[in-house]
Amino acid sequence: MSLIEELNSQYTELSFLNSAAALMAWDMRTYLPSKGNDMRAEALGYISTLAFKKRVSDELGSILEKLSEPETYNSLGDDEKAMVRVSAKAFKRARAIPPALYQKFTVLTVRSEKAWEKAKVENDFEGFAPYLEEIVSLSREMASLYGFAENPYDALLEGYEEGMTAKRLREIIEPLKKELVPFLKRLITEGKAPETELLKGKFSRKAQEKLSHKALKFIGYDFEAGRLDETVHPFTIGIGVGDVRVTTKYQPDEFTPSLFGSFHEGGHAIYEQGLPAHLKGTSLYEATSLGIHESQSRMMENIVGRSKEFLKFFYPHIQKAYPSNFKNVPLKKFYRSVNSVKPSLIRIEADEVTYNFHIMLRFELEEGLMKGDIQVEELPARWNEKMKEYLGIEPANFSDGVLQDIHWPSGMIGYFPSYMLGNLYAAQFYAKAKSDIKDLEGKIEKGDLKPLLHWLRENIHSQGRRYSPEELLKVVTEKELDPEYFIRYIKDKYSHIYSL
Ligand code: ZN
């Protein structure tokens, strides 16, 4: 066996363990009988530990060491070099944290999530604060073990978005703030707001399920390589090659969450379905990053799913699904209603225009925590200041403010920016797809999404983990990340909708 074959045989075994863990997790969140929960959690924990041990094994370390010797490395092909780069980086990162610290952090986050659930219900920030203080302190310890050049936050960010730094994020955020904070104010004060009442009503579960199926089919989701199920907190999960599953949630009084949720999860899923099958069982059979993953979901949900062009084609299907609700609602009115903008307290309910503000706020606070510029006890006050500055509103309690998300209680500091980056990447990718595909919008109007899917497959999905996110962006769009694409997209679309 060559060294590369040895490396890939390690990764193949790892992919089997990951596949087993993913299937167990999918089942836990969909059909597992409640009494089976405890045993499953234990079994899943065991499988995950096996996988972790494999990722940090001396055997893997010695294969990587040999492969990294210049003479050997230089003799490899491009994909093989990328395999070694990606695996060596992952190995180094996993080994940076001593098992005892890793264990301490895992135990802490389990306790902290429990404490957070209670604190959120009871609106008790003080009760939760000690947990967050410990999470921040251990995260700082881990950041120094991972290593960083100038900012401890960068070491955490790296775990979610390779190569991204706080400095770069600030450069990106600056124009977004400068352009979109005043734009939002204008929309609210001078714009003609869409009606949204028409989206409320009674919507049968069966009709919603049928429509979600249709939506997934239209964007190119392959039902022979996946399935759609119902859950409480929707997610997409790749079990392995040829098996990528999506979930959604059906609400009786509103159908838009299940429909646009299906576009969103479908965007994630077609990415995973399009990963390079010939690289299965290697470190390259993976998405580029969380941010690139999110770009695929946000593109399908918002840029495509909520577009005039797509709805021109798809709205008749919606009318057919709910004739009593929409028979007499013209397309234009419906289009405006699903693109209504309203500053809200809750991130996951935010529209396209306001969503990034929720992320900027969280980034600025968590970066401050990591650098020691902000103390946990100051968080609620700082949260409210920033809400007021960016969105013009303030929460009346902690539960709708600083306690709303699970990310900090789960120890995932550095995760939030990938949501914002996803929006920005999506706008930049889409602009390039529009210039590469002749009359893309005309094709979408006719319900033909194949050229777009083909473009995404070729340029993004099939690249797997070959490049870092910024590299991929450069390879595909020939430009660095430029927030101007997103700003222009938002201003064009919403000036029109709000008649500014
Ligand atoms: Zn997503």
Side-chain angles (χ1 to χ4, degrees), residues 194-432:
E195 281 176 49
T196 52
E197 292 307 292
L198 57 108
L199 299 175
K200 298 268 178 192
K202 268 197 194 137
F203 301 96
S204 83
R205 190 194 175 285
K206 213 173 149 204
Q208 290 192 55
E209 194 179 349
K210 230 172 121 188
L211 201 60
S212 284
H213 261 265
K214 243 184 207 171
L216 285 167
K217 274 216 160 122
F218 278 127
I219 62 171
Y221 178 76
D222 178 2
F223 273 95
E224 282 173 30
R227 45 179 296 137
L228 169 67
D229 294 273
E230 190 177 1
T231 192
V232 187
H233 301 291
F235 62 96
T236 297
I237 192 162
I239 312 287
V241 180
D243 188 359
V244 181
R245 305 182 184 192
V246 292
T247 59
T248 194
K249 183 169 106 178
Y250 306 108
Q251 286 172 213
D253 59 341
E254 245 181 320
F255 81 101
T256 43
S258 72
L259 178 64
F260 291 106
S262 297
F263 283 125
H264 182 98
E265 298 306 330
H268 281 304
I270 57 175
Y271 186 5
E272 299 247 338
Q273 286 184 333
L275 288 174
H278 69 284
L279 294 172
K280 71 171 183 186
T282 77
S283 55
L284 302 188
Y285 188 79
E286 233 189 281
T288 306
S289 72
L290 270 183
I292 299 292
H293 226 308
E294 198 63 14
S295 77
Q296 301 304 290
S297 59
R298 302 293 280 185
M299 186 187 290
M300 286 305 165
E301 177 190 354
N302 291 328
I303 302 182
V304 174
R306 289 179 209 268
S307 69
K308 250 192 345 270
E309 294 76 24
F310 183 71
L311 286 172
K312 185 167 177 193
F313 157 75
F314 197 70
Y315 183 53
H317 292 277
I318 296 174
Q319 286 177 304
K320 209 176 132 203
Y322 314 112
S324 60
N325 305 77
F326 297 113
K327 182 170 69 215
N328 299 318
V329 177
L331 169 65
K332 194 179 168 204
K333 199 167 178 185
F334 180 81
Y335 165 67
R336 295 185 72 234
S337 72
V338 295
N339 285 294
S340 133
V341 177
K342 194 169 180 228
S344 68
L345 298 171
I346 309 296
R347 173 184 61 87
I348 57 167
E349 291 165 8
D351 53 76
E352 278 187 290
V353 180
T354 57
Y355 193 95
N356 288 339
F357 296 140
H358 291 268
I359 303 304
M360 293 172 194
L361 168 158
R362 285 159 178 76
F363 157 65
E364 287 165 356
L365 295 180
E366 61 183 20
E367 193 219 0
L369 288 172
M370 285 301 290
K371 285 167 75 183
D373 298 344
I374 297 177
Q375 303 308 312
V376 168
E377 59 186 24
E378 301 167 57
L379 273 184
R382 305 295 293 270
W383 183 285
N384 289 12
E385 269 167 35
K386 286 186 188 289
M387 279 299 288
K388 190 117 198 132
E389 185 187 341
Y390 301 152
L391 289 158
I393 52 174
E394 269 181 284
N397 55 50
F398 301 127
S399 307
D400 289 339
V402 67
L403 287 180
Q404 71 181 264
D405 296 299
I406 196 172
H407 301 64
W408 291 345
S410 299
M412 295 189 287
I413 296 177
Y415 188 117
F416 283 121
S418 55
Y419 292 120
M420 179 182 75
L421 291 167
N423 291 326
L424 307 187
Y425 294 149
Q428 189 161 336
F429 282 141
Y430 195 76
K432 180 70 166 116

Side-chain angles (χ1 to χ4, degrees), residues 47 54 77 89 95 104 108 127 155 166 189 199 225 229 251 311 329 332 385 442 444 447 490:
I47 301 281
K54 204 148 189 55
K89 221 172 177 178
R95 283 274 275 231
K104 195 174 164 191
L108 170 64
T189 53
L199 299 175
D229 294 273
Q251 286 172 213
L311 286 172
V329 177
K332 194 179 168 204
E385 269 167 35
I444 292 180
I490 290 291

